[in-house]
Amino acid sequence: MTESPDSRSLVSASSQLNLMEIEAIDDKEFDIPQVDTPPTLESILNEPEDEDEPFILEDTCLLNTENIDAHSCETSSLASSDSGDRTHLKRRRKAVETNATVHGSVLRRNVLKGISAQIVSAADKVDAGLPTAVTVSNVIAVGTSHGLALVFGKDQNQALRLCLGTTATGAEYGAVSALSINHDCTRLLCGFAKGQITMWDLANGKLLRTITDAHPPGTAILHVKFTDHPALAVCNDSGGSVFELSFRRVMGMRTCESRCLFSGSKGEVCCVEPLHAGPELKDHPITHYSLLAMASLTKILLIGLKPSLKVWLTFPYGKTDPASVPLLAWQFVAVQKTINPVLAFCRGDTIHFLLVKKDESGIIHVIKHRQLQLSCDLISLSWINPRTLVLMDSTEKLRVVDRPSQEELETVDMAELQLVYNSSHFKSLATGGNVSQALALVGEKTCYQSVCSYAGQIMYLGTKSVHIMTLRNWRERVDHLLKQEKFMEALSLAWSLHEGTAKAVLGLFADPAKRKGVVADKMVEILLQYVDRSLKKCPEQGKIQVMEQHFQDMVPVMVDYCLLLQRTQIIKINCFFFLVFQKLFQAIGPPLHEGKPLTDEHVVMGNKLLVYISCCLAGRAYPLGDIPEDLVPQVKNQVFEFLIRLHSVEAAQEEEVYPYIRTLLHFDTREFLNVLALTFEDFKNDKQALEYQQRIVDILLKVMVDNSDFTPSQVGCLFTFLARQLAKPDNTLFVNRKLFDQVMVDNSDFTPSQVGCLFTFLARQLAKPDNTLFVNRDLTNFVYQICEFMYDKKHLYNKIVDCYLKDPLRKEELFNYIHNILSMPGYSSEEKQLVWVKALQHIKDLVSISSPKTAELVAVHFADEVQSIITSLQDDYLAFQFLKCLLNPSFREGLNPQTILRLGPDLHELLVDLLCQFSPQQVTAFLKTSQDYRLEEAIQITEKHKLHEAAAYLLEKKGNVQGAFEVLLQAYQSLVWKLHCPEVQSARERALKELTMKVLNSMSSFIAPPAIIQRILQDPVYGKGKLAEIQGLILGMLETFNYEQTLLETTTNLLNSDLHWSLSHLRKAVSRGLHPRQYHCNICLQQYKRWQESEEEIIIFSCGHLYHCQCLQRKEVGVLSERQYSWSCYKCTSNQGSRPADRPSAESSRSRSTSLAQTKVTSAHRGIVTEAHGRKMLTEATLDAQQTQAWDHFRTLYRGPSRLAVLTELTHSHGNERAGFSNPVHPGTGSIYHSENFQLKLSPPPLVEE
């Protein structure tokens, strides 16, 4: 069943590699067959040579491979590549085909709805055009036919981040025909249909370069791609030529240099693909060569761009369909413990693979692997991982192919995508269609810019949507089959994962032991689902042989897989359990539900079922033995889950709920409850089992309530069972009281012994001193229900009223009970009278429970007793609550029209009085809505309680408008008097003073203190008082002044220190001597002479260049200033790209071309006799005009203000027209605090280059 250790040597060796999820290639990659016995030497010598043996190009520089025939190597057959171990076929009687090839759904297809919707919206609303190209990295970029590039995020929101370009430039450049993002996702290259190329900054959307001369004009850009080198890219135009683009930045200017790599006159290239390596492979020896693969119409070229241009390989296609599209794709693959790039290329239906590697001696090898022959014409080729290819044929169907085994794993139809084709760019329609017929024919099916891959994802661009394909992990593939109820296929796929023979596996451990453990657990889960589904599909009709045949087809599958997984305990627990349950319920269920008598065979089967349930719940095996201890909880849970199922397998619509428990109760109620009672004895510390126990008790009560088929004796058995369980000291059950109550009401034929048993049980519980059941379960409620039941039997309905009042959970139900007794027929007048009297006696309790319901009950049945009820309440608040509900107009409108409620005005006036006491804000509203009170009495009541608004309303309603006005006026005067009382006035003055102090403290930071003090003294409030009141304000202003003065002095000292340091270093730099680089003039190239008869002036600049003064004057590089003649270095200014004569006089501002200090050297003749040598004289160091101006500005900028200037500034609340200090200020303000230059500069002194 498993492979031999020798046959799995490469797999085990490769599985130890952990290189960023790059999987190792197994022995099938090299067609190594798996054998049971090793071959002998004689058999090896007699073996014919394998034509698929890879060839090695030892010296690719000398070897011309253009004559290699693409069909010289035959493709290995699919069967030969999948020759696995056949030892497992020795089992002749096997129900499971473990060697069957099942792959399931390999690809996960997602539609990027956010991006798709925005593409369609941009085309409709802003005329962005249809999508033409896509590329993906950390962002997704989509080009449009109107020259825009839309950049989207890859997060869940898929928000539009950048919109690059405009429709105006799109009209000039044409559609976006190619896109490329560099490796760090900072730059985007856009190629256009009219030949232009633009580079964008993806961080801020800034246009960095517009390239118009990289290739011949009149051709469209077919491809533009970054390489791994940050400043290197390649482009391919519709003329078939390939160019290298080198990006540079010289003196702040961005440039692009173009170099032709391949001319279209030698054969048109229509596809280019540079080799990209991830961060983990950046040090790979092959990546340093910057490999580039190019596909022309006749051959494949492999070249290296670094360190110099070099052709590594040419490979012809052979005979192909002229309309077929050349395709290229790179991928790093692990082969024999090393990772090297593999190039997959094809044109038509044959895919070739080239492995590029570098040996220890440094020689580059290009090894051809076996080709892959397909039966379709391909238009797209992509790697999704090192072992799996995703291909698209000309019918727009995706084909997932495993490269080592050359097996097709899945086919996905992509017709609904409406793939975007690049035909118009290959025909160069935007530039006049000046392309060859061969390239135009190939361009009919090209979709290079519509398919891109990145980090295990392949993106496809449609006319209205963007789709992304990723590999499903192994769990998703299995679950996808389970959702379709393909259990056999799911088991077969899981077994291939278990054995390591599955293809395109993702997310599984490489360690065989861990892999088998995880997959085995998943297979057990599948088997349990398979058993459950088989039970649901079990035939409901027919002979027992049909059911046996159904299970004979199902059981061997489970048994075989359990044996393969060595999980035999699953067979004992699950299969037999479900088989027995299903068979027994199918046998005894129909006769019980149809009311037919059970045969002896049915009785025996039912008893066996009860025994089997008892054994399983007790942890014993049926019929003998014990269940393993670790499996006992699992068995109990499965039995309980089966019993409490809401419906049976494929239940009919008319089936009642909980059929299994209902069937067992009908079969033998007492014995089934005894089985449960014995089982409950063992449930003490098992939390989940206690939950099942509570669930079963609730179901038992519900089944008894909803079904009237149970006899009183059966219900009595249920009472006895519940009484025993509730009487246990450690009881945790909670009985649903409503269901319990309904059982007692619906079953009125209890025997006295049953009721007595229940009373005895309750009495014992209530008699216990530490009765926890009484505290936790409130069993007195059960007592009241039993009393109610007994009173109902004796027609003592008035006594039941007391039961309801004493039961806290059923007090609200008392109103309905009284109403039903007094209004419904079937009760005698005496019984109704007793209930009527009992309700009047407890009217106060009824109002306390619910005053609205009491009011409704009184309005219907006690309309004539309202006055006596008010008297009996003896509580003003209760009377208020009752009358508020009874006299509410909305309440009276909701009564039955036949109900006549006549209430006198005295009750309304009583309610007005109570409203004045308990809810004064509602008095006016009640007076406006009610018309049943007397005005005089109501006015007296409102005036007594001093409710002026209500009294004014009543007076106005009476017609006494003058009286209403006087009431309101009196109320207003009382409010005004309260505001002008001495206490209120003094408090208000204190508050105003505190507020004034806060405002003045805040003003002190912005307004001069003398102005503030003068303003205070002018205020009448402080003018009459003492200055002690503003002492705190004055002290605060003085403290603020002291702080600011200290801060200003400290700042001035720091600035003076920095100024002294800067001046000393500046003086040192200016007075430094200069040493020329050469001893000749850089203009006339003649050496200056130390001994000359005539005087000659030499000028040396700080850059080291030396000139004759006359030479500089001829070149016109000097500027005549007020003090002296200022010179500029001729050579330095010439290197900056401008002629000295063309510069204005302001050229002296360019400090880099002007020397920091100019030195004149004068040679003089001292006499031949007295002086044998000439003497070099050094003149004094001087500053030019520019340096003098900079020095003045520097000195002015760092001059600190004096204290007098600061104090003078503080005395003015508003600045003068002129600046107060030497620092420059903004126009329109004279305050130093508003000056931009008035800042505390504590940065370290600048460094002056020595």
Side-chain angles (χ1 to χ4, degrees):
M1 197 63 59
T2 58
E3 299 177 355
S4 61
D6 295 336
S7 65
R8 297 175 58 188
S9 58
L10 289 178
V11 176
S12 60
S14 301
S15 63
Q16 297 175 359
L17 294 175
N18 184 16
L19 299 173
M20 299 301 294
E21 300 183 356
I22 298 182
E23 302 182 12
I25 295 181
D26 57 10
D27 297 344
K28 296 178 183 179
E29 173 69 25
F30 305 97
D31 290 340
I32 301 177
Q34 300 174 357
V35 295
D36 296 332
T37 58
T40 61
L41 178 60
E42 183 179 0
S43 64
I44 296 176
L45 294 177
N46 293 332
E47 223 175 36
E49 294 183 0
D50 188 1
E51 296 182 354
D52 282 336
E53 191 73 12
F55 65 91
I56 301 178
L57 305 180
E58 295 292 348
D59 192 353
T60 58
C61 300
L62 301 176
L63 182 60
N64 185 8
T65 59
E66 292 185 357
N67 299 324
I68 298 178
D69 188 2
H71 296 281
S72 61
C73 301
E74 296 180 359
T75 304
S76 300
S77 64
L78 197 63
S80 63
S81 66
D82 196 18
S83 57
D85 191 344
R86 300 295 193 266
T87 57
H88 59 276
L89 298 178
K90 295 179 181 179
R91 293 188 59 193
R92 298 184 179 272
R93 185 179 176 275
K94 182 71 180 292
V96 179
E97 293 292 337
T98 57
N99 62 335
T101 303
V102 175
H103 304 293
S105 178
V106 179
L107 288 181
R108 185 198 305 111
R109 179 178 182 177
N110 293 323
V111 180
L112 302 181
K113 296 182 180 179
I115 296 178
S116 303
Q118 292 178 82
I119 291 175
V120 175
S121 177
D124 294 340
K125 296 181 179 180
V126 298
D127 195 24
L130 298 177
T132 57
V134 67
T135 186
V136 61
S137 179
N138 294 335
V139 296
I140 300 173
V142 178
T144 68
S145 59
H146 289 180
L148 300 180
L150 309 177
V151 182
F152 302 91
K154 289 182 67 177
D155 53 1
Q156 294 181 353
N157 298 328
Q158 302 172 19
L160 178 64
R161 294 185 178 179
L162 297 171
C163 179
L164 307 179
T166 61
T167 54
T169 58
E172 180 183 356
Y173 296 166
V176 175
S177 58
L179 292 171
S180 179
I181 300 176
N182 63 350
H183 68 284
D184 58 354
C185 197
T186 58
R187 299 289 185 268
L188 172 67
L189 281 177
C190 299
F192 293 89
K194 294 184 180 180
Q196 293 84 354
I197 301 174
T198 58
M199 177 184 286
W200 300 85
D201 189 340
L202 289 178
N204 52 24
K206 181 180 178 182
L207 177 63
L208 302 179
R209 290 181 175 89
T210 299
I211 306 168
T212 58
D213 56 353
H215 63 101
T219 57
I221 297 295
L222 301 183
H223 301 275
V224 58
K225 295 181 181 291
F226 276 106
T227 65
D228 281 348
H229 193 279
L232 193 64
V234 293
C235 72
N236 174 210
D237 61 11
S238 58
S241 300
V242 181
F243 296 87
E244 177 189 74
L245 305 178
S246 299
F247 305 113
R248 291 184 175 85
R249 189 171 182 178
V250 179
M251 302 299 293
M253 299 293 295
R254 302 180 189 272
T255 62
C256 176
E257 297 181 1
S258 176
R259 179 177 64 163
C260 182
L261 301 178
F262 187 87
S263 175
S265 60
K266 298 180 181 180
E268 294 160 308
V269 172
C270 53
C271 182
V272 295
E273 192 65 39
L275 173 63
H276 292 290
E280 70 280 357
L281 296 172
K282 63 180 181 179
D283 296 329
H284 194 279
I286 300 297
T287 59
H288 303 305
Y289 295 96
S290 295
L291 295 187
L292 175 66
M294 301 183 294
S296 69
L297 298 179
T298 57
K299 58 188 175 182
I300 296 293
L301 295 94
L302 182 61
I303 65 174
L305 302 178
K306 297 292 183 179
S308 61
L309 184 62
K310 181 178 180 181
V311 179
W312 284 24
L313 173 71
T314 58
F315 189 90
Y317 298 122
K319 297 180 180 181
T320 58
D321 184 1
S324 298
V325 181
L327 302 172
L328 298 170
W330 285 101
Q331 178 66 37
F332 279 87
V333 179
V335 180
Q336 295 179 338
K337 298 183 180 181
T338 59
I339 299 177
N340 289 296
V342 171
L343 175 65
F345 62 92
C346 76
R347 187 182 183 190
D349 57 357
T350 305
I351 303 177
H352 304 269
F353 299 96
L354 291 178
L355 173 66
V356 183
K357 70 176 183 179
K358 186 176 183 180
D359 61 11
E360 298 178 355
S361 61
I363 300 176
I364 303 299
H365 300 269
V366 181
I367 304 175
K368 179 180 178 297
H369 283 238
R370 59 179 177 175
Q371 61 193 23
L372 174 60
Q373 187 72 36
L374 301 171
S375 59
C376 56
D377 188 20
L378 299 181
I379 62 173
S380 174
L381 169 65
S382 303
W383 295 85
I384 199 167
N385 69 11
R387 300 173 63 93
T388 310
L389 293 166
V390 179
L391 317 173
M392 178 179 284
D393 59 19
S394 56
T395 61
E396 296 187 5
K397 290 184 178 179
L398 285 185
R399 301 176 184 270
V400 185
V401 179
D402 182 68
R403 191 183 74 84
S405 64
Q406 300 189 356
E407 184 176 358
E408 187 172 309
L409 308 181
E410 186 183 9
T411 302
V412 180
D413 190 0
M414 299 290 289
E416 66 177 13
L417 169 66
Q418 300 179 3
L419 188 69
V420 174
Y421 288 90
N422 312 128
S423 306
S424 62
H425 309 317
F426 274 77
K427 297 177 181 179
S428 194
L429 298 180
T431 58
N434 50 346
V435 298
S436 65
Q437 294 181 357
L439 186 62
L441 181 61
V442 171
E444 292 290 343
K445 299 180 181 179
T446 55
C447 57
Y448 295 119
Q449 303 302 325
S450 304
V451 183
C452 59
S453 60
Y454 178 78
Q457 301 174 343
I458 304 178
M459 193 165 296
Y460 295 88
L461 179 65
T463 56
K464 295 183 179 180
S465 61
V466 179
H467 294 222
I468 188 169
M469 294 290 182
T470 55
L471 282 180
R472 297 180 186 269
N473 61 40
W474 69 276
R475 290 185 181 274
E476 292 178 346
R477 291 169 62 180
V478 174
D479 293 338
H480 187 267
L481 292 173
L482 293 177
K483 290 180 181 178
Q484 303 175 6
E485 294 190 352
K486 297 180 179 180
F487 290 93
M488 299 304 297
E489 291 83 352
L491 287 170
S492 179
L493 174 60
W495 179 250
S496 63
L497 293 167
H498 183 274
E499 292 299 300
T501 59
K503 307 297 189 294
V505 181
L506 184 66
L508 200 57
F509 293 105
D511 184 26
K514 293 183 179 179
R515 181 190 70 236
K516 290 185 176 182
V518 172
V519 177
D521 294 338
K522 182 64 177 179
M523 291 187 68
V524 171
E525 180 183 343
I526 298 173
L527 289 173
L528 296 178
Q529 295 182 23
Y530 174 62
V531 171
D532 185 64
R533 182 253 187 187
S534 300
L535 292 176
K536 293 181 180 179
K537 298 295 183 180
C538 181
E540 296 182 356
Q541 299 178 355
K543 298 182 180 180
I544 193 68
Q545 289 79 8
V546 178
M547 184 185 299
E548 291 178 354
Q549 182 62 39
H550 172 75
F551 286 108
Q552 286 178 1
D553 296 338
M554 180 269 293
V555 171
V557 175
M558 184 171 182
V559 171
D560 287 341
Y561 275 112
C562 289
L563 292 176
L564 290 174
L565 297 173
Q566 298 181 357
R567 302 284 183 93
T568 55
Q569 68 273 16
I570 302 177
I571 306 175
K572 298 179 182 179
I573 298 170
N574 296 284
C575 291
F576 184 71
F577 168 72
F578 288 112
L579 286 175
V580 171
F581 261 45
Q582 193 67 27
K583 284 187 177 182
L584 294 181
F585 277 110
Q586 290 285 349
I588 68 175
L592 288 173
H593 296 309
E594 295 174 4
K596 298 179 181 180
L598 295 176
T599 63
D600 294 340
E601 182 180 359
H602 290 159
V603 173
V604 172
M605 295 180 67
N607 291 330
K608 288 183 178 179
L609 179 59
L610 291 174
V611 174
Y612 182 76
I613 295 174
S614 177
C615 291
C616 291
L617 295 178
R620 295 188 298 272
Y622 179 84
L624 299 173
D626 294 326
I627 300 175
E629 293 183 1
D630 56 334
L631 298 177
V632 170
Q634 181 181 355
V635 174
K636 291 183 179 180
N637 294 341
Q638 291 177 355
V639 173
F640 279 122
E641 288 176 359
F642 189 87
L643 287 176
I644 64 177
R645 284 186 178 178
L646 193 62
H647 289 287
S648 61
V649 179
E650 295 185 357
Q653 294 183 354
E654 61 273 7
E655 183 186 65
E656 297 180 306
V657 295
Y658 307 113
Y660 299 132
I661 289 182
R662 193 181 301 274
T663 299
L664 292 173
L665 287 173
H666 278 296
F667 175 72
D668 194 335
T669 306
R670 185 181 301 277
E671 291 301 326
F672 176 59
L673 294 176
N674 287 338
V675 170
L676 293 179
L678 293 175
T679 304
F680 290 172
E681 293 291 338
D682 300 331
F683 292 167
K684 294 182 179 180
N685 299 322
D686 192 344
K687 182 178 180 181
Q688 187 173 5
L690 293 175
E691 293 177 357
Y692 281 122
Q693 176 184 357
Q694 180 65 54
R695 178 68 175 152
I696 287 180
V697 169
D698 294 338
I699 294 174
L700 289 174
L701 287 172
K702 184 173 181 60
V703 169
M704 291 292 188
V705 170
D706 296 339
N707 197 330
S708 59
D709 296 338
F710 293 98
T711 64
S713 61
Q714 291 176 317
V715 178
C717 294
L718 177 62
F719 280 168
T720 305
F721 168 76
L722 294 177
R724 290 175 179 174
Q725 299 304 317
L726 294 173
K728 293 180 181 178
D730 54 351
N731 171 59
T732 58
L733 284 177
F734 175 77
V735 178
N736 191 330
R737 297 180 58 259
K738 293 185 179 180
L739 295 177
F740 192 92
D741 178 53
Q742 189 65 31
V743 171
M744 298 180 65
V745 172
D746 293 344
N747 299 274
S748 57
D749 296 331
F750 294 136
T751 62
S753 59
Q754 294 169 348
V755 178
C757 177
L758 200 55
F759 266 119
T760 303
F761 157 69
L762 293 174
R764 290 178 179 177
Q765 295 303 315
L766 295 174
K768 292 182 179 180
D770 53 347
N771 180 22
T772 57
L773 288 177
F774 175 74
V775 176
N776 297 331
R777 299 291 178 261
D778 197 7
L779 291 178
T780 54
N781 301 331
F782 290 102
V783 175
Y784 297 133
Q785 294 180 44
I786 295 172
C787 293
E788 177 187 351
F789 172 74
M790 301 302 296
Y791 290 144
D792 186 71
K793 292 296 183 181
K794 297 180 180 181
H795 303 286
L796 298 176
Y797 303 110
N798 58 328
K799 298 290 187 181
I800 297 179
V801 174
D802 295 326
C803 295
Y804 274 100
L805 286 173
K806 294 179 181 180
D807 191 344
L809 298 180
R810 297 200 303 165
K811 287 182 178 181
E812 296 285 344
E813 301 175 9
L814 177 57
F815 301 96
N816 292 331
Y817 177 77
I818 296 174
H819 175 72
N820 293 336
I821 293 294
L822 298 179
S823 59
M824 294 179 62
Y827 301 96
S828 64
S829 58
E830 295 180 357
E831 294 170 348
K832 291 184 178 182
Q833 182 64 24
L834 291 174
V835 173
W836 190 86
V837 173
K838 178 65 72 172
L840 275 181
Q841 293 176 357
H842 294 284
I843 194 66
K844 187 175 181 179
D845 297 330
L846 294 177
V847 174
S848 301
I849 295 172
S850 176
S851 55
K853 292 184 178 181
T854 305
E856 183 179 359
L857 187 64
V858 169
V860 177
H861 301 287
F862 304 92
D864 299 332
E865 303 294 331
V866 175
Q867 192 65 44
S868 61
I869 290 174
I870 295 298
T871 305
S872 63
L873 288 177
Q874 299 177 354
D875 188 344
D876 290 343
Y877 186 75
L878 290 178
F880 164 67
Q881 294 290 341
F882 173 70
L883 286 176
K884 185 175 68 171
C885 297
L886 185 65
L887 302 181
N888 190 356
S890 59
F891 166 75
R892 299 180 67 177
E893 291 175 359
L895 293 176
N896 194 331
Q898 299 178 357
T899 303
I900 300 176
L901 184 61
R902 296 186 179 88
L903 300 175
D906 53 340
L907 292 178
H908 291 81
E909 295 158 8
L910 176 60
L911 178 58
V912 173
D913 190 9
L914 295 175
L915 281 171
C916 293
Q917 298 180 35
F918 299 105
S919 184
Q921 65 277 8
Q922 296 180 0
V923 174
T924 305
F926 175 76
L927 294 174
K928 291 180 180 180
T929 56
S930 178
Q931 305 295 332
D932 297 327
Y933 54 86
R934 292 170 294 189
L935 287 176
E936 292 296 338
E937 284 73 6
I939 291 173
Q940 294 177 7
I941 294 172
T942 54
E943 290 179 350
K944 180 181 67 174
H945 293 282
K946 297 182 181 180
L947 295 181
H948 304 290
E949 183 180 358
Y953 169 75
L954 293 173
L955 290 172
E956 183 180 1
K957 185 177 181 180
K958 183 181 177 182
N960 188 3
V961 179
Q962 181 67 26
F965 176 76
E966 291 178 356
V967 170
L968 295 177
L969 180 61
Q970 183 180 0
Y972 172 74
Q973 290 175 351
S974 62
L975 291 175
V976 171
W977 181 84
K978 290 181 180 179
L979 291 176
H980 288 81
C981 64
E983 294 80 4
V984 176
Q985 187 70 19
S986 60
R988 186 181 65 173
E989 291 180 358
R990 287 195 300 270
L992 289 175
K993 287 184 179 181
E994 292 178 359
L995 181 60
T996 303
M997 296 296 292
K998 292 181 180 179
V999 173
L1000 293 176
N1001 279 325
S1002 301
M1003 292 169 56
S1004 62
S1005 299
F1006 305 98
I1007 302 176
I1012 297 175
I1013 296 174
Q1014 183 177 4
R1015 183 71 175 177
I1016 294 172
L1017 295 178
Q1018 292 175 356
D1019 188 89
V1021 177
Y1022 291 97
K1024 298 177 181 180
K1026 298 180 181 180
L1027 290 178
E1029 297 179 354
I1030 61 173
Q1031 180 181 2
L1033 174 63
I1034 297 175
L1035 292 177
M1037 291 194 308
L1038 292 176
E1039 184 179 355
T1040 303
F1041 170 76
N1042 292 331
Y1043 166 74
E1044 293 178 351
Q1045 182 183 19
T1046 304
L1047 180 64
L1048 190 58
E1049 292 176 354
T1050 305
T1051 305
T1052 304
N1053 294 334
L1054 291 175
L1055 292 178
N1056 290 335
S1057 176
D1058 292 347
L1059 179 62
H1060 178 270
W1061 186 91
S1062 300
L1063 288 177
S1064 62
H1065 281 71
L1066 182 61
R1067 182 178 180 279
K1068 183 185 300 184
V1070 170
S1071 60
R1072 183 180 58 189
L1074 300 179
H1075 185 273
R1077 295 183 180 179
Q1078 302 92 9
Y1079 292 99
H1080 59 80
C1081 177
N1082 283 275
I1083 296 178
C1084 63
L1085 301 180
Q1086 296 182 3
Q1087 292 186 354
Y1088 76 91
K1089 299 179 180 179
R1090 300 174 183 268
W1091 307 278
Q1092 288 186 175
E1093 297 180 358
S1094 60
E1095 183 177 344
E1096 184 180 34
E1097 290 186 354
I1098 303 300
I1099 298 178
I1100 303 174
F1101 292 90
S1102 61
C1103 56
H1105 296 144
L1106 181 146
Y1107 303 94
H1108 293 107
C1109 181
Q1110 297 177 355
C1111 295
L1112 285 179
Q1113 290 177 354
R1114 288 196 301 269
K1115 293 297 182 179
E1116 299 179 357
V1117 295
V1119 178
L1120 183 60
S1121 62
E1122 297 178 356
R1123 300 183 180 181
Q1124 65 175 3
Y1125 205 90
S1126 179
W1127 300 99
S1128 298
C1129 179
Y1130 172 76
K1131 190 171 184 180
C1132 294
T1133 56
S1134 299
N1135 291 336
Q1136 294 178 1
S1138 62
R1139 295 171 52 193
D1142 297 337
R1143 294 192 310 273
S1145 61
E1147 180 65 21
S1148 60
S1149 62
R1150 187 176 298 178
S1151 60
R1152 294 187 179 180
S1153 62
T1154 305
S1155 63
L1156 181 65
Q1158 301 173 358
T1159 304
K1160 294 183 181 179
V1161 180
T1162 304
S1163 299
H1165 180 66
R1166 297 295 182 182
I1168 301 176
V1169 179
T1170 59
E1171 286 283 358
H1173 304 284
R1175 178 177 301 174
K1176 183 179 71 173
M1177 300 178 64
L1178 182 65
T1179 64
E1180 68 279 4
T1182 61
L1183 297 178
D1184 58 13
Q1186 176 193 2
Q1187 294 167 345
T1188 303
Q1189 182 181 1
W1191 159 243
D1192 293 337
H1193 176 73
F1194 180 80
R1195 183 179 55 187
T1196 304
L1197 185 65
Y1198 282 87
R1199 180 184 299 169
S1202 63
R1203 298 183 185 180
L1204 179 60
V1206 174
L1207 295 176
T1208 304
E1209 181 66 17
L1210 291 176
T1211 58
H1212 299 284
S1213 59
H1214 301 285
N1216 298 325
E1217 295 296 331
R1218 60 180 180 83
F1221 303 112
S1222 59
N1223 290 10
V1225 299
H1226 288 294
T1229 177
S1231 175
I1232 61 172
Y1233 300 110
H1234 296 88
S1235 174
E1236 291 183 352
N1237 297 324
F1238 188 75
Q1239 299 175 359
L1240 182 61
K1241 299 181 181 180
L1242 299 180
S1243 59
L1247 297 178
V1248 178
E1249 184 179 358
E1250 293 293 335

